[in-house]
Amino acid sequence: MSDNNSTPVTATDFIRNIIREDLASGKHQQIVTRFPPEPNGHLHIGHAKSIHLNFGVAKEFSGKCFMRFDDTNPVKEDEQYVEGILKDVRWLGYDWGKSQTHASDYFEQLYEFAEELIQKGKAYVESLNAEEIREFRGSLTEAGKNSPYRERSVEENLALFRKMREGEYEDGSLVLRAKIDMSSPNINLRDPVLYRIRKVSHQRTADKWCIYPLYDFTHGLSDSLEGVTHSLCTLEFEDHRPLYNWILAEVSAPCLPRQIEFSRLNLRYSVLSKRRLIQLVEEGHVEGWDDPRMLTLSGLRRRGYPASAVRLFCERIGISKSANNIEMNVLEDCAREELDKTAPRAMAVLKPLKVVITNYPENQTEEFEPARHPKNPEMGTRKVPFSREIYIDQDDFREDPPPKYFRLSPGKEVRLRYAYVIRCDEVIYENDKVVELRCTYDKATRSGAKAEGRKVKGIIHWVSTQHAVTTEIRLYDRLFSAPNPGRNDPEGNFINDLNPESVEIISDCKAEPELSTANPEDVFQFERVGYFCVDAKDSRPDALVFNRTVTLRDTWAKLEQEHSGQN
RNA sequence: UGGGGCGUAGCCAAGUGGUAAGGCAUCGGGUUUUGAUCCCGUGAUUCGCAGGUUCGAUCCCUGCCGCCCCAGCCA
């Protein structure tokens, strides 16, 4: 968050409870956390949960949070992701100060720890190949077997390991393994691999190394080196905790952080695994990582979600260890809540229907000056021109109105927001299609004037045709049409569950002139319709493009749907 | 059928041996020149199931059921 006020500690979850106890008992004077992404993809809303937890907790308890890149696998990682990740975390509102680190910063120390393990007879160089290692590992129900190389002498192991570092062996020919217990019921303890040979250049250390440590060896030691007190990660690492603790106990690690696991985020009608996100991008189902339908941070941003809405979302879903499947409307509602407070209002007609006000003078124009925000006068006012010809939305007219339809229909009246009450006198057709409405206005009903006895229930938005700005609007909806994409496919193929209507582009929308000066990422509430932001990539001053962030709540649509559902 | 977890309202989620917070959704009602916002009200005789301990159990014990994770030289 950009403000410097300390956030009150209001959230209560099992992790914060542990931290409070550790602080109260004096176990820790200051808490230290870390957010450790691997630079091999972009951040999504699931990462936001972790960022919000790690940075949030550090801030709440006046601690510190490291921004650490877990870059131990150069074949998968790329420096280009680092920049994107940093940008996303910053956008979300977090600041790591000078505490940006890389696991690769510790390669030399990690190597020393590995030698220490060897010296203690707690690690050995393995000559079995990958397939043999797998076979020797046993299965979920069968114990593994000791490798024939398990009892190599310390001297031999040391010599071999040093030569591994020197580059004397080929990729995959040798690995360093921890010597723990091949019959452990926890497979992670069956002599896990600690180092492998990869003669590839690392994005940061270049060709300095040809052996790289694996996650289990690296993570706890990096935590320890940074003085992390609480190492927060997701549930799938629970089984790794004994190994995490084993490594820290066996070497002279500076401190012993406590790993605590929480459940990862699942959101209905979406996929969040990195693998699936990559597939969506690579197979072209979306435009890219920042496609507004993607729940990546860059996608949400481009969609128009303010960072505060994402933070609010993280706040609402909480932290626990139980499996969860959050309803999409929770996310959407967070956007509404934040945007309602901050978005200036404007009128825009998505699907224009021409209306001629027959009793309004031909060449007359007048201006209304409504507030930009109904509850926030500091946001000022805007000028909205009115004239004889206007556009209204096709949705706001029905030839044959259903019950409780408050909008325009033949012979009926509505109020034009901020302007006059009009009555529909005539409907003009062209090939059986309604193309124009002829209406008359009542001058006495001018906005602000007293017009007693005129109770017009319906209020619709409009735009003066001669003053309108033509824009493109992209109506986005959820990317998937199934609550759990891939769930009902035998192969788990989630592509079939893509929502074919996740985007509708309409190119001739009409907006009030005020919008002509809008800048990329500006968000507006198009009154009665929804929240829209200026697309950061495709919009140009003379050819505006808006993305729909989220619709307004629409009780009428709900009502109508219920009625039609009954028929 | 090895190991590790989880199971409190539609969706999240606190909680404790003493009689079930809160949020979102829902459904009512009020305000409103956005069918928006806002405001008020609304749901668990019950905490996966079955036993047991106890004056008393969601919380302790036993058994059962369901779901998730683990056999990368990925993280």
Side-chain angles (χ1 to χ4, degrees):
Chain A
M1 269 156 266
S2 49
D3 58 313
N4 290 316
N5 307 323
S6 60
T7 311
V9 184
T10 48
T12 164
D13 55 65
F14 75 103
I15 291 177
R16 273 172 250 251
N17 288 343
I18 289 170
I19 290 172
R20 281 190 194 95
E21 282 166 25
D22 290 347
L23 251 16
S25 72
K27 180 178 178 186
H28 298 297
Q29 262 59 58
Q30 188 196 38
I31 69 134
V32 180
T33 57
R34 100 271 91 114
F35 172 60
E38 182 185 14
N40 69 342
H42 290 280
L43 266 23
H44 55 70
I45 188 142
H47 292 110
K49 178 176 179 176
S50 176
I51 295 167
H52 186 72
L53 209 217
N54 279 296
F55 280 95
V57 133
K59 182 171 181 185
E60 284 165 31
F61 296 98
S62 304
K64 173 177 181 179
C65 180
F66 281 87
M67 173 71 229
R68 181 171 79 224
F69 288 93
D70 218 338
D71 56 350
T72 57
N73 188 357
V75 323
K76 284 192 172 179
E77 296 150 8
D78 197 305
E79 192 67 9
Q80 74 168 86
Y81 291 116
V82 170
E83 198 181 316
I85 289 169
L86 255 19
K87 186 177 170 189
D88 287 342
V89 175
R90 221 176 274 124
W91 173 74
L92 234 204
Y94 296 99
D95 179 19
W96 50 89
K98 290 183 172 138
S99 307
Q100 183 192 326
T101 57
H102 291 76
S104 55
D105 297 342
Y106 310 129
F107 279 174
E108 192 61 50
Q109 291 159 89
L110 258 16
Y111 178 84
E112 295 301 323
F113 284 130
E115 283 210 356
E116 185 180 351
L117 232 33
I118 293 171
Q119 299 276 16
K120 288 178 67 179
K122 298 288 186 176
Y124 62 98
V125 173
E126 174 66 274
S127 296
L128 255 26
N129 66 33
E131 193 182 330
E132 291 163 331
I133 289 176
R134 190 183 339 116
E135 283 163 12
F136 275 70
R137 186 148 38 219
S139 72
L140 293 180
T141 51
E142 297 165 289
K145 292 179 297 190
N146 284 172
S147 162
Y149 303 98
R150 199 173 197 259
E151 299 307 328
R152 285 213 249 237
S153 69
V154 168
E155 294 66 35
E156 186 182 2
N157 282 138
L158 219 40
L160 250 17
F161 189 51
R162 286 174 180 165
K163 284 200 226 166
M164 276 169 68
R165 177 180 183 168
E166 297 310 314
E168 293 193 24
Y169 305 106
E170 293 313 303
D171 283 17
S173 57
L174 254 33
V175 291
L176 182 73
R177 288 233 251 176
K179 191 191 282 188
I180 309 181
D181 178 6
M182 287 306 290
S183 63
S184 171
N186 182 343
I187 290 178
N188 294 299
L189 263 19
R190 317 239 265 230
D191 291 9
V193 173
L194 269 20
Y195 268 88
R196 77 293 224 186
I197 301 170
R198 286 286 177 278
K199 292 186 172 171
V200 297
S201 184
H202 183 277
Q203 59 274 16
R204 292 185 64 82
T205 59
D207 298 317
K208 184 172 180 199
W209 296 87
C210 63
I211 58 172
Y212 294 96
L214 276 88
Y215 169 85
D216 285 309
F217 186 68
T218 310
H219 205 88
L221 290 170
S222 300
D223 283 345
S224 184
L225 257 8
E226 290 173 355
V228 166
T229 55
H230 302 267
S231 182
L232 314 178
C233 63
T234 44
L235 248 31
E236 66 271 27
F237 292 103
E238 211 151 16
D239 286 344
H240 294 242
R241 187 168 7 111
L243 176 54
Y244 181 102
N245 292 333
W246 182 92
I247 289 167
L248 290 174
E250 294 298 343
V251 303
S252 47
C255 66
L256 208 185
R258 195 220 293 204
Q259 174 178 307
I260 307 171
E261 311 85 11
F262 61 94
S263 53
R264 60 193 312 155
L265 168 68
N266 295 296
L267 244 192
R268 286 188 178 177
Y269 297 97
S270 74
V271 299
L272 293 181
S273 81
K274 210 176 267 181
R275 198 207 102 228
R276 288 173 155 192
L277 258 18
I278 288 171
Q279 190 180 341
L280 288 173
V281 172
E282 289 186 346
E283 292 180 2
H285 299 108
V286 294
E287 280 179 31
W289 286 97
D290 65 348
D291 185 298
R293 294 164 295 178
M294 293 279 273
L295 295 183
T296 49
L297 296 186
S298 53
L300 286 162
R301 177 178 184 174
R302 191 167 164 206
R303 175 79 169 256
Y305 270 76
S308 60
V310 179
R311 275 186 246 122
L312 178 62
F313 174 75
C314 293
E315 208 67 50
R316 280 195 181 159
I317 58 176
I319 295 290
S320 75
K321 295 187 71 157
S322 40
N324 57 74
N325 207 192
I326 311 290
E327 292 173 340
M328 191 58 104
N329 74 291
V330 177
L331 211 213
E332 292 168 345
D333 194 66
C334 289
R336 292 192 185 100
E337 182 163 328
E338 288 302 311
L339 260 16
D340 175 63
K341 291 187 289 195
T342 55
R345 314 283 125 127
M347 292 197 288
V349 171
L350 270 45
K351 301 191 174 168
L353 172 60
K354 190 159 101 175
V355 172
V356 177
I357 298 159
T358 54
N359 61 340
Y360 195 87
E362 293 261 4
N363 296 314
Q364 187 172 317
T365 289
E366 64 186 299
E367 241 171 19
F368 296 100
E369 194 172 345
R372 285 206 172 87
H373 189 109
K375 291 181 183 172
N376 190 356
E378 297 89 80
M379 288 173 74
T381 60
R382 70 191 127 123
K383 299 238 166 61
V384 181
F386 181 80
S387 64
R388 189 169 194 265
E389 278 190 16
I390 61 171
Y391 293 115
I392 66 168
D393 243 309
Q394 289 169 20
D395 269 358
D396 290 332
F397 172 77
R398 293 288 171 83
E399 292 180 78
D400 186 19
K404 293 192 179 161
Y405 185 80
F406 302 151
R407 284 108 98 149
L408 244 204
S409 53
K412 294 284 173 49
E413 290 186 327
V414 275
R415 160 146 241 130
L416 295 176
R417 184 150 167 83
Y418 304 127
Y420 301 100
V421 171
I422 58 170
R423 188 181 60 238
C424 176
D425 305 317
E426 192 186 350
V427 181
I428 312 289
Y429 299 88
E430 209 170 84
N431 301 325
D432 289 336
K433 241 189 93 191
V434 177
V435 294
E436 184 182 320
L437 266 24
R438 297 287 170 94
C439 300
T440 45
Y441 85 117
D442 180 348
K443 198 170 182 177
T445 61
R446 190 181 203 277
S447 194
K450 260 195 185 168
E452 295 301 332
R454 297 303 291 250
K455 286 219 168 144
V456 180
K457 183 100 177 162
I459 298 156
I460 64 174
H461 54 99
W462 53 275
V463 173
S464 165
T465 61
Q466 62 171 296
H467 305 278
V469 179
T470 299
T471 73
E472 172 176 314
I473 296 187
R474 298 170 180 175
L475 302 178
Y476 292 107
D477 198 354
R478 49 194 65 167
L479 228 202
F480 293 92
S481 50
N484 296 294
R487 172 68 63 90
N488 294 319
D489 185 282
E491 261 101 62
N493 183 355
F494 64 102
I495 299 297
N496 297 330
D497 289 324
L498 244 11
N499 174 12
E501 286 161 11
S502 60
V503 57
E504 178 187 356
I505 297 179
I506 42 185
S507 53
D508 57 344
C509 305
K510 305 293 181 182
E512 63 172 79
E514 165 96 353
L515 290 180
S516 62
T517 56
N519 295 308
E521 293 197 332
D522 282 355
V523 185
F524 297 87
Q525 184 199 94
F526 289 172
E527 300 195 70
R528 303 207 313 127
V529 182
Y531 296 96
F532 295 79
C533 78
V534 179
D535 188 79
K537 268 192 173 168
D538 300 334
S539 190
R540 283 185 291 114
D542 58 339
L544 291 170
V545 176
F546 285 91
N547 297 325
R548 181 172 70 195
T549 309
V550 64
T551 62
L552 248 34
R553 275 203 195 86
D554 192 346
T555 52
W556 163 246
K558 203 185 291 177
L559 245 183
E560 196 180 24
Q561 203 169 31
E562 277 169 21
H563 280 245
S564 65
Q566 282 168 5
N567 297 336

